[in-house]
């Protein structure tokens, strides 16, 4: 049951990331991802299911790619 | 349903008729019995029982092996012995049998002498019993299908007028919608609508009018420029915590509408916050200046109006991105033009302090770079004169920024703008003022009196400009790719959390750009600055 909840939270982030259009939204999603990751690690510890590990890596990669696609408001220019 | 109802009604009527006929017959029979009254009363009393036992008697008649006439010559004395008991046993009934079979017939209510005659009576029965006649009437026998024989029977006259279509229209749905339609008109809904309409009619009438009035002015809106001076990209150094708003500028923007005024002031303060007067237009800018809730369209409209007023220069670099340059009264003490800075960086030997002294004058005398494109270049030749003229008019009245005046009682000319020049012949006097020792205050110079913090700020400005240059050099799309690679690199090296931390991300991103675009680091840059 917890596994499904965790997977759903990660999938939600994945879906919402497709609609993300600003750095502010991205930041919120990143915070959600970090919270989900922290909960998963706290729940499973070292014995984290491989599917969750894959999902975490996938969502993280997509978050990073999205960050790169967003307008670079953080640069000094 | 109507058909079934009609059939049931017809059956009921038939049953009634048959019952009436049957009762009449019974009544006739009852009436005929007393007329035939030769019979004793006792017999008459037993008649129902005999009628009730008609069938058993008939069966007995059929079973009887000997007719009663043969029985008349019977001698009881000659009977066989073995039947004695039997005969004796029925002796007591013998009279009855004799009476029944031998005695003269009496009217027991059964008018028919034999069974066949009695069955004929039932041929006249009602239709409801006709189903049993299939065995009696050979012509109508259809092999046991009684329903076919029913259909062959003659129709009753009462059935003909059966109004089959009459009940149907009662159940047809046609009258229902008619009934509803009849109800609908009295409903208040359609009537209510017209009622408020006249009430609301006068209200909307004035509403569209102002809209119509507003539209043409929008199209024909002519915004006269408040400022005709060129707008340049500058970078400034902020000393202390104060942000100075020159009096001239305050008076210049005073006639602005509230929205434009507030937007300009916000941009002004923001420019001092980021130490430059240019940047990208977008949600980030809105958020940074504290008007995140303002609609993007409205924000763009206000910027366009400021652009028309000459207080902001908008430049569209792509379909979805544009940049802005905010007009700032140039102050040589705290500001540095980006173009000049670039030139200085391109010519490193000219940067040292002793050699840089004539440069500002030369730079000021040279035609300025065009921040607004070709139009600005054309204006440059004229604007310096205009600016000087303006400066002539304004200087004696207002002077410059309050904080700057005491430090520089005779401020140098602002390059082509000439605001600070108070002499009637600025071109002749410019070199005189330019030679005055104010250059060390220009940021970015090697002989700037800056402490380490100031130097670091100058270095940051330098890096920012280098990144600007690199962006223009590699192109927007390539720069975006580099940005994406930088994000991935930062994620791998410093972790995902850094991406959410704006300050740290900015720091690491700058480091990435420094290494990617071969920008000298702080130590090397410091060495070059001497």
């Amino acid at each position: 049951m917890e596994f499904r909840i965790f997977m759903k939270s990660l999938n939600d982030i994945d879906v919402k990331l497709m609609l993300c259009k600003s750095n502010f939204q991205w930041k919120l999603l990143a915070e959600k991802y970090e919270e989900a990751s922290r909960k998963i690690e706290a729940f499973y510890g070292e014995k984290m299911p491989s599917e969750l590990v894959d999902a975490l890596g996938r969502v993280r990669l997509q978050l990073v790619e999205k960050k790169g696609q967003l307008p670079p408001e953080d640069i000094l220019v | 349903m109507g058909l079934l109802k009609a059939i049931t009604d017809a059956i009921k009527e038939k049953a009634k008729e048959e019952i009436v006929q049957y009762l009449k017959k019974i009544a006739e029979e009852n009436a005929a019995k007393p007329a035939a009254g030769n019979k004793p009363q006792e017999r008459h009393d037993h008649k129902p029982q005999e009628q009730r036992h008609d069938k058993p008697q008939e069966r007995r008649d059929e079973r009887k092996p000997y007719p009663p006439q043969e029985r008349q010559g019977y001698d009881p004395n000659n009977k066989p012995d073995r039947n004695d008991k039997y005969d004796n046993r029925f002796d007591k009934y013998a009279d009855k049998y004799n009476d029944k079979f031998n005695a003269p017939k009496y009217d027991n209510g059964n008018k028919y002498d034999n069974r066949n005659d009695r069955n004929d009576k039932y041929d006249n029965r009602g239709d409801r019993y006709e189903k049993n006649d299939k065995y009696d009437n050979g012509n109508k026998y259809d092999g046991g299908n009684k329903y076919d024989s029913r259909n062959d029977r003659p129709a009753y006259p009462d059935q003909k007028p059966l109004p089959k279509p009459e009940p149907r229209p009662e159940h047809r749905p046609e009258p229902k919608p008619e009934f509803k339609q009849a109800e609908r008109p009295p409903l208040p809904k359609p009537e209510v609508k017209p009622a408020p309409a006249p009430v609301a009619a006068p209200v909307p009438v004035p509403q569209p009018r102002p809209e119509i009035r507003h539209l043409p002015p929008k199209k024909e809106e002519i915004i006269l420029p408040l400022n005709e001076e060129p707008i340049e990209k500058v970078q400034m150094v902020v000393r202390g915590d104060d942000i100075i708003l020159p009096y001239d500028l305050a008076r210049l923007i005073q006639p602005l509408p509230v929205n434009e005024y507030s937007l300009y002031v916000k941009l002004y303060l923001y420019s001092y916050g980021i130490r430059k007067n240019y940047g990208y237009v977008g949600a980030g800018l809105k958020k940074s200046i504290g008007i995140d809730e303002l609609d993007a369209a409205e924000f763009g409209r206000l910027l366009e109006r400021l652009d028309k007023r000459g207080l902001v220069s908008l430049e569209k670099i792509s379909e979805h991105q544009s940049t802005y340059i905010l007009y700032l009264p140039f102050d040589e003490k705290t500001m540095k033009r980006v173009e000049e800075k670039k030139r200085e960086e391109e010519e490193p030997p000219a940067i040292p302090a002793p050699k840089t002294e004539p440069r500002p004058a030369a730079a000021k005398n040279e035609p300025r770079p065009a921040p607004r494109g070709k139009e600005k270049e054309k204006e440059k030749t004229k604007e310096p004169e205009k600016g000087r003229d303006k400066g002539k008019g304004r200087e004696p009245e207002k002077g410059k920024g309050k904080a700057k005046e005491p430090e520089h009682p005779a401020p140098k000319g602002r390059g082509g703008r000439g605001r600070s020049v108070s002499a009637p012949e600025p071109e002749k006097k410019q070199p005189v003022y330019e030679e005055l020792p104010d250059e060390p205050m220009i940021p970015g110079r090697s002989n700037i009196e800056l402490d380490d913090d100031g130097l670091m700020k100058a270095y940051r400005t330098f890096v920012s400009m280098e990144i600007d240059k690199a962006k223009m050099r590699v192109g927007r799309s390539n720069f975006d790719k580099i940005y994406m690679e930088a994000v991935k690199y930062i994620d791998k090296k410093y972790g995902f959390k850094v991406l959410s931390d704006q300050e740290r991300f900015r720091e690491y991103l700058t480091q990435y750009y420094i290494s990617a675009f071969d920008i000298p680091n702080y130590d090397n840059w410091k060495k070059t600055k001497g």
Side-chain angles (χ1 to χ4, degrees):
Chain A
M1 187 66 183
E2 285 78 9
F3 173 80
R4 294 176 67 184
I5 292 171
F6 289 141
M7 285 297 290
K8 187 180 182 307
S9 64
L10 292 175
N11 286 332
D12 288 346
I13 295 170
D14 197 0
V15 171
K16 287 177 183 175
L17 196 60
M18 298 172 72
L19 305 173
C20 173
K21 290 182 179 176
S22 69
N23 280 288
F24 179 71
Q25 293 174 347
W26 185 91
K27 194 174 180 181
L28 294 178
L29 291 174
E31 288 173 357
K32 274 189 176 181
Y33 169 78
E34 288 174 1
E35 188 180 355
S37 175
R38 183 180 53 77
K39 284 182 180 177
I40 290 169
E41 286 180 1
F43 186 80
Y44 289 104
E46 296 178 354
K47 298 177 181 179
M48 193 184 299
S50 60
E51 293 179 356
L52 274 177
V53 175
D54 294 343
L56 281 170
R58 176 172 49 82
V59 174
R60 173 176 171 152
L61 183 61
Q62 289 180 351
L63 277 166
V64 172
E65 287 182 355
K66 192 69 180 182
K67 176 75 175 177
Q69 292 170 1
L70 291 171
E73 66 171 6
D74 293 322
I75 60 175
L76 292 174
V77 181
Chain B
M1 290 297 291
L3 183 63
L4 292 173
K5 192 176 181 181
I7 291 169
T8 51
D9 294 340
I11 290 170
K12 286 178 181 177
E13 289 177 1
K14 288 178 188 175
K16 287 178 183 177
E17 290 175 1
E18 289 173 0
I19 291 167
V20 170
Q21 289 177 1
Y22 186 69
L23 292 174
K24 284 179 180 177
K25 287 179 181 177
I26 291 172
E28 289 174 1
E29 289 174 1
N30 291 336
K33 282 172 188 174
N38 296 329
K39 304 296 184 272
Q41 191 63 30
E42 292 176 0
R43 292 282 182 184
H44 181 70
D45 295 338
H46 294 287
K47 186 170 41 174
Q49 289 181 355
E50 291 175 356
Q51 286 180 350
R52 216 182 304 151
H53 298 290
D54 278 345
K55 285 183 179 177
Q57 276 187 347
E58 291 169 1
R59 288 172 186 167
R60 280 179 206 157
D61 296 343
E62 291 171 0
R63 288 175 197 160
K64 279 183 179 298
Y66 306 106
Q69 289 83 3
E70 293 176 0
R71 189 101 178 144
Q72 288 176 356
Y74 176 73
D75 186 4
N77 297 325
N78 295 331
K79 63 184 177 183
D81 295 341
R82 59 181 180 182
N83 295 329
D84 286 347
K85 284 186 180 179
Y86 178 82
D87 291 336
N88 296 334
R89 190 176 52 190
F90 292 97
D91 281 343
K92 55 183 177 182
Y93 303 106
D95 295 337
K96 286 188 177 179
Y97 284 113
N98 292 329
D99 291 340
K100 188 164 186 178
F101 295 106
N102 300 327
K105 290 181 181 178
Y106 60 91
D107 189 1
N108 57 356
N110 189 355
K111 300 185 288 187
Y112 309 100
D113 293 337
N114 54 37
R115 185 177 55 191
N116 292 332
D117 295 339
R118 188 170 62 249
N119 288 335
D120 292 339
K121 176 187 75 173
Y122 296 102
D123 292 341
N124 299 327
R125 287 178 302 180
D127 185 54
R128 58 184 288 198
Y129 301 108
E130 198 175 6
K131 59 184 179 182
N132 294 328
D133 295 343
K134 60 186 179 181
Y135 301 107
D136 299 333
N137 190 356
N139 296 331
K140 290 182 180 179
Y141 183 65
D142 56 355
N145 190 351
K146 58 186 177 182
Y147 299 105
D148 291 344
S149 63
R150 274 188 180 182
N151 295 333
D152 293 336
R153 69 191 173 188
Y156 284 89
D158 296 339
Q159 276 183 330
K160 290 178 182 178
L162 278 178
K164 289 184 180 180
E166 289 178 2
R168 285 179 182 174
E170 294 176 1
H171 299 286
R172 280 175 186 172
E174 293 176 359
K176 291 180 180 178
E178 291 175 2
F179 181 71
K180 287 179 181 177
Q181 286 174 357
E183 282 184 351
R184 280 178 185 171
L187 286 176
K189 290 180 181 177
E191 295 176 0
V192 171
K193 287 180 181 177
V199 176
V203 178
V205 167
Q207 286 177 354
R209 283 178 186 171
E211 289 177 3
I212 293 168
R213 286 174 188 170
H214 278 296
L215 287 174
K218 281 181 182 175
K219 292 176 182 176
E220 300 171 359
E221 192 177 29
I222 299 171
I223 299 174
L224 297 174
L226 292 173
N227 174 45
E228 294 180 352
E229 294 182 14
I231 301 174
E232 298 172 318
K233 285 184 178 178
V234 296
Q235 294 177 351
M236 67 280 286
V237 174
V238 179
R239 291 182 177 179
D241 298 331
D242 297 332
I243 297 174
I244 298 166
L245 181 67
Y247 184 73
D248 288 349
L249 182 62
R251 287 201 63 180
L252 183 69
I253 63 174
Q254 197 172 6
L256 286 174
V258 176
N259 290 341
E260 298 171 31
Y261 183 88
S262 59
L263 179 59
Y264 181 83
V265 171
K266 280 174 176 289
L267 287 172
Y268 184 84
L269 299 177
Y270 175 67
S271 296
Y272 273 90
I274 61 173
R275 294 173 178 79
K276 62 180 183 180
N277 69 336
Y278 57 92
Y280 287 101
V281 176
L285 178 64
K286 273 200 309 174
K287 188 180 175 185
S288 300
I289 64 177
I291 52 170
D292 197 14
E293 296 176 355
L294 188 67
D295 186 21
E298 178 67 12
F299 180 62
R301 191 183 67 83
L302 290 174
L303 278 177
E304 286 177 2
R305 292 174 70 89
L306 286 176
D307 184 22
K308 289 177 182 175
R309 294 186 191 281
L311 296 172
V312 167
S313 172
L314 294 176
E315 185 179 358
K316 200 166 187 178
I317 57 175
S318 68
E319 291 182 1
H320 302 290
Q321 275 197 323
S322 59
T323 58
Y324 76 95
I325 306 171
L326 187 71
Y327 166 71
L328 291 177
F330 188 79
D331 183 6
E332 285 187 351
K333 299 170 193 173
T334 57
M335 294 180 187
K336 177 71 177 175
R337 294 188 185 90
V338 174
E339 296 299 328
E340 287 180 3
K341 215 170 183 178
K342 286 179 182 176
R343 284 177 198 164
E344 287 172 4
E345 289 163 2
E346 288 172 0
E347 300 170 1
I351 294 176
K355 295 178 182 177
T356 53
E357 289 179 2
R359 278 191 60 82
K364 287 163 192 169
N365 292 333
E366 288 174 1
R368 284 188 202 167
R372 273 186 162 184
K374 295 176 182 177
E375 295 177 0
K376 299 295 174 187
E377 286 181 5
K378 294 175 184 176
E379 292 173 4
K380 278 176 193 172
T381 54
K382 302 174 183 177
E383 282 173 357
E385 296 174 358
K386 291 178 183 175
R388 284 165 196 160
D389 296 337
K390 283 182 182 177
K392 290 172 192 173
R394 290 176 187 176
E395 280 293 325
E397 296 173 1
K398 310 154 196 173
K400 285 197 70 178
K402 294 172 186 174
K404 295 168 189 173
E405 261 190 343
E407 294 177 3
H408 310 285
K412 299 187 303 178
R414 290 177 165 185
R417 295 182 186 180
R419 270 192 176 185
S420 59
V421 178
S422 57
E425 297 175 359
E427 290 180 358
K428 294 178 182 177
K429 289 185 178 181
Q430 265 185 356
V432 176
Y433 289 108
E434 285 164 1
E435 288 173 0
L436 292 176
D438 278 340
E439 290 177 3
M441 302 305 293
I442 299 173
R445 297 295 171 87
S446 59
N447 56 354
I448 295 175
E449 297 172 359
L450 296 174
D451 52 1
D452 290 343
D453 292 340
L455 207 58
M456 181 57 77
K457 288 178 182 175
Y459 175 70
R460 285 177 181 170
T461 306
F462 164 73
V463 171
S464 176
M465 290 172 59
E466 284 297 313
I467 294 171
D468 265 348
K469 285 161 60 178
K471 186 188 292 183
M472 288 188 289
R473 190 170 62 245
V474 301
R476 182 71 189 177
S477 60
N478 288 331
F479 191 80
D480 288 343
K481 289 176 184 174
I482 293 169
Y483 173 73
M484 180 172 282
E485 293 301 322
V487 172
K488 290 180 180 176
Y489 173 79
I490 293 168
D491 173 49
K492 283 181 182 176
K493 189 170 183 179
Y494 302 104
F496 183 75
K497 288 184 179 179
V498 176
L499 299 180
S500 302
D501 189 349
Q502 192 171 354
E503 293 301 322
R504 291 177 66 191
F505 177 74
R506 179 181 292 183
E507 183 183 342
Y508 294 137
L509 185 64
T510 307
Q511 289 178 9
Y512 185 87
Y513 284 147
I514 287 171
S515 61
F517 298 126
D518 294 331
I519 299 170
N521 59 20
Y522 177 71
D523 293 335
N524 293 338
W525 175 82
K526 198 175 180 181
K527 287 175 185 174
T528 58
K529 296 290 176 185

